[in-house]
């Protein structure tokens, strides 16, 4: 099957590469000439485990080609997937990339003789595909929906495991304008071992937002619990959450084996969620809901709890170290999570900004996300980036573990002690071995854990 994918970012490129890998003929389109050039030269323009190898193979085998021009790719494609960005604007979701892309596709469809299904894979608020995108396609193509197909197929891949998530999806949601569109998409997904759920276009759009809001609610719930534990003192949020999630309604025993569902990973205290999806999707859901006349208090609170979390980290550090001016602070991890170079809405961004505002000298370390971070927050006096955690820690008065890259989680207490001027370690993910750190003479600060007043002292 010939497939065109418009937008070759995390979702579009992974979609294009994986569909080529299962045997489709794929044309990827991106406005950025450097992205297109990189793909055609068999180099992945972004970091995602396993992606570079498959991309190299499918381009070499002639099953994937990239273009800057939509019409060249749409030419003879049976499926045209829109995977462009849908950022959050001041008043809600910004559909400008979607609309531009729909116009380009519609114009190209005028020239096309065969039948094509236009599929929105980008995350868009309910009504976008069936109303907004359809009207733009109809106006630009001079056809009515039905003469071309229309579908909404939300994507659930997670950065860091995107290739695996795409290849082995939990479910394939197809929101379709008509039966014919649905059948074409089913055919595209032949061979994927997952239940296919056919729903209407708006339900497909809502499923994606609901999935993200539910997962984000677990993170903010854990962080709110952490704040309560910190306020009370002497209660470790991790002990609390670990005990709570042993409830068999969360963690059943099957054949005597304790099953720990992946969802529990979201019920962990930390410095808040980031990334390209949760923050913007919750913001878009909030605006959409209000526009429809319902004020979603819970969604609003999830966002508020999340926004406060990175600032609380720096406040705690300041509470422990006093004036941060001229003190060197190592920020370990810039990517919003391990396994990706994506820094969109990463918690390290407000953490570094707060530190700089207080005059601290910041060394940010990350194995792959330095360049992306420097694009948002350029290095300069008082802020530099390094790929090497030892350089970041050297001479610092505090280390903040933000992204739990395995190499960073494994840094031993003796290394912190050896390299740092004052070995204070703030564990924003509650993944460090506190016993090891303290045995080496480090001072440990953990989210959701503060000493009991007058008690035996969690923090020395
Ligand atoms: P991205 O910013 O990484 O990629 C979007 C790409 O589209 C960019 O490279 C941009 O140059 C290109 N583009 C914009 N307009 C274009 C046009 N008219 N023609 C051709 N190319 C164009 O975005 P992303 O992270 O891949 O997200 C894309 C969509 O998928 C968003 O709606 C997002 O919410 C959703 N989504 C993302 C993830 C994720 O983990 N990143 C997961 C599921 C869903």
């Amino acid at each position: 099957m010939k497939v065109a994918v418009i937008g070759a970012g995390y979702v579009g490129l992974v979609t294009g590469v994986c569909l080529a890998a299962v045997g489709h003929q794929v044309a990827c389109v991106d406005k950025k000439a450097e992205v297109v050039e990189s793909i055609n030269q068999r180099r992945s323009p972004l970091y995602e485990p396993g992606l570079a190898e498959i991309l190299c193979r499918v381009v070499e085998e002639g099953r994937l080609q990239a273009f800057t021009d939509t019409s060249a790719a749409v030419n003879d494609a049976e499926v045209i997937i829109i995977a462009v960005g849908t950022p959050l604007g001041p008043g809600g979701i910004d559909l400008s990339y979607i609309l531009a892309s729909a116009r380009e596709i519609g114009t190209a469809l005028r020239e096309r003789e065969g039948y094509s299904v236009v599929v929105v894979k980008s995350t868009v608020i309910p009504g976008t595909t069936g109303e907004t995108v359809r009207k733009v396609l109809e106006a630009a193509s001079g056809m009515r929906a039905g003469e071309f197909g229309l579908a909404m197929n939300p994507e659930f891949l997670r950065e860091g495991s995107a290739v695996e998530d795409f290849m082995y999806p939990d479910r394939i949601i197809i929101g379709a304008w008509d039966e014919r569109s649905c059948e074409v998409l089913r055919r595209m997904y032949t061979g994927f071992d997952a239940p296919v759920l056919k729903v209407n276009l708006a339900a497909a759009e809502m499923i994606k937002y609901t999935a993200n809001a539910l997962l984000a609610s677990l993170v903010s719930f854990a962080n709110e619990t952490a704040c309560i534990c910190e306020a009370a003192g002497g209660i470790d949020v991790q002990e609390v959450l670990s005990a709570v999630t042993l409830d068999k309604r969360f963690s059943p025993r099957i054949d005597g084996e304790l099953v720990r569902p992946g969802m529990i990973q979201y019920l962990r205290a930390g410095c808040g969620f980031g990334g390209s999806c949760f923050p913007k999707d919750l913001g878009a859901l909030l605006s959409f809901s209000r526009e429809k006349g319902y004020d979603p208090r819970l969604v609003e609170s999830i966002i508020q709890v999340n926004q406060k979390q990175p600032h609380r980290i720096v406040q705690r550090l300041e509470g422990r170290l006093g004036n941060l001016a001229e003190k060197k602070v190592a920020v370990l991890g810039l990517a919003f999570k391990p396994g990706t170079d994506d820094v969109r809405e990463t918690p390290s961004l407000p953490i570094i900004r707060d530190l700089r505002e207080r005059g601290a000298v910041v060394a940010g370390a990350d194995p792959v996300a330095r360049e992306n971070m420097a694009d948002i927050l350029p290095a300069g006096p008082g802020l530099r980036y390094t790929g090497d955690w030892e350089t970041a820690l050297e001479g610092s008065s505090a280390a903040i573990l933000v992204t739990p890259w395995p190499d960073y989680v494994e840094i031993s207490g003796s290394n912190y002690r050896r390299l740092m001027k004052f070995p204070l370690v703030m564990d924003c993910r509650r993944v460090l071995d506190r016993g090891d750190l303290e045995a080496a003479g480090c001072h440990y600060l953990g989210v959701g854990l503060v000493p009991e007043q007058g008690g035996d002292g969690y923090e020395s």
Side-chain angles (χ1 to χ4, degrees):
M1 189 181 255
K2 290 195 170 165
V3 180
V5 184
I6 318 299
Y10 286 88
V11 167
L13 186 60
V14 169
T15 302
V17 166
C18 292
L19 289 177
V22 300
H24 297 301
Q25 186 66 37
V26 178
C28 279
V29 182
D30 205 286
K31 287 281 171 237
K32 295 179 192 149
E34 68 276 15
V35 167
V36 169
E37 196 182 313
S38 169
I39 296 170
N40 288 333
Q41 288 176 352
R42 287 174 265 156
R43 277 185 289 109
S44 176
L46 50 91
Y47 175 75
E48 191 58 48
L51 185 66
E53 295 79 356
I54 313 178
L55 181 144
C56 183
R57 180 163 52 81
V58 293
V59 174
E60 210 160 72
E61 291 169 359
R63 272 181 288 135
L64 177 80
Q65 218 187 332
F67 302 87
T68 44
D69 175 27
T70 298
S71 61
V74 164
N75 219 347
D76 53 356
E78 198 176 345
V79 176
I80 303 157
I81 298 174
I82 301 180
V84 299
T86 47
L88 187 62
I93 189 171
D94 172 0
L95 289 176
S96 54
Y97 298 105
I98 294 276
L99 298 181
S101 162
R103 260 190 301 274
E104 289 160 11
I105 293 168
T107 308
L109 285 180
R110 272 185 187 271
E111 309 296 319
R112 170 146 166 72
E113 285 176 6
Y115 175 81
S116 301
V117 181
V118 180
V119 182
V120 176
K121 197 174 246 315
S122 303
T123 304
V124 290
I125 53 165
T128 304
T129 308
E131 286 298 314
T132 321
V133 171
R134 176 180 60 82
K135 286 179 182 160
V136 172
L137 285 170
E138 287 181 339
S141 68
M143 290 190 270
R144 302 298 304 268
E147 295 174 74
F148 60 84
L150 187 62
M152 202 283 152
N153 171 224
E155 182 51 58
F156 299 97
L157 63 76
R158 295 162 300 169
E159 287 176 25
S161 55
V163 172
E164 195 176 327
D165 288 346
F166 190 91
M167 290 298 213
Y168 306 99
D170 304 325
R171 70 294 210 196
I172 294 168
I173 308 292
I174 302 180
W177 173 261
D178 54 15
E179 201 48 47
R180 190 175 177 194
S181 311
C182 183
E183 279 318 306
V184 173
L185 259 196
R186 273 186 198 274
R187 201 151 37 80
M188 186 185 83
Y189 281 115
T190 305
F192 284 80
D193 182 19
V196 176
L197 274 75
K198 184 181 173 258
V199 294
N200 68 30
L201 292 166
E205 292 162 333
M206 188 66 187
I207 286 168
K208 175 66 189 175
Y209 283 105
T210 308
N212 277 356
L214 177 60
L215 292 170
S217 75
L218 299 181
V219 178
S220 281
F221 179 83
N223 284 336
E224 178 123 298
T225 308
C227 295
I228 299 171
C229 290
E230 286 176 14
I235 306 171
D236 181 350
V237 71
Q238 277 315 111
E239 282 178 6
V240 173
L241 292 171
S242 302
V244 168
T245 56
L246 275 173
D247 184 316
K248 59 175 164 297
R249 287 165 291 186
F250 284 103
S251 307
R253 277 185 189 276
I254 298 178
D255 295 333
E257 289 282 320
L258 182 68
V259 177
R260 301 287 278 167
M263 168 184 111
I264 287 174
Q265 289 165 14
Y266 291 81
L267 265 176
R268 285 186 70 92
C271 50
F273 54 76
S276 65
C277 290
F278 283 10
K280 86 170 172 62
D281 290 350
L282 268 90
L285 183 60
L286 180 69
S287 312
F288 167 71
S289 183
R290 282 185 177 153
E291 208 180 286
K292 295 288 167 193
Y294 178 74
D295 191 20
R297 294 289 179 79
L298 182 56
V299 174
E300 188 179 22
S301 298
I302 296 169
I303 297 169
Q304 284 169 351
V305 169
N306 194 60
Q307 284 173 343
K308 279 190 198 147
Q309 225 30 29
H311 304 297
R312 292 177 59 90
I313 301 291
V314 177
Q315 281 159 7
R316 266 194 85 192
L317 199 69
E318 197 174 32
R320 185 68 177 76
L321 277 185
N323 189 353
L324 294 177
E326 301 304 324
K327 291 197 171 111
K328 182 180 171 187
V329 178
V331 174
L332 301 177
L334 304 170
F336 85 92
K337 67 174 181 181
T340 180
D341 59 356
D342 200 340
V343 295
R344 288 177 281 184
E345 302 288 329
T346 177
S348 40
L349 196 58
I351 288 176
I352 293 176
R353 284 199 174 120
D354 279 9
L355 289 168
R356 290 292 303 128
E357 267 169 28
R358 288 161 168 80
V361 175
V362 178
D366 197 283
V368 292
R370 298 183 301 282
E371 277 180 28
N372 286 345
M373 191 66 162
D375 285 344
I376 306 178
L377 204 58
L383 172 63
R384 66 196 171 90
Y385 300 114
T386 168
D388 165 28
W389 55 263
E390 295 209 359
T391 310
L393 288 180
E394 192 118 44
S396 58
S397 297
I400 308 180
L401 178 86
V402 179
T403 319
W405 286 102
D407 281 0
Y408 296 172
V409 174
E410 281 162 20
I411 300 171
S412 65
S414 55
N415 272 325
Y416 281 113
R417 180 74 210 231
R418 175 174 65 83
L419 293 161
M420 295 174 72
K421 187 170 160 195
F422 181 71
L424 174 68
V425 183
M426 173 90 216
D427 181 0
C428 293
R429 301 289 179 177
R430 298 303 308 270
V431 287
L432 299 178
D433 183 343
R434 179 175 159 219
D436 169 62
L437 288 167
E438 289 179 346
C442 300
H443 305 274
Y444 178 87
L445 287 179
V447 172
L449 171 65
V450 296
E452 189 179 3
Q453 291 294 320
D456 57 3
Y458 273 119
E459 298 159 4
S460 49

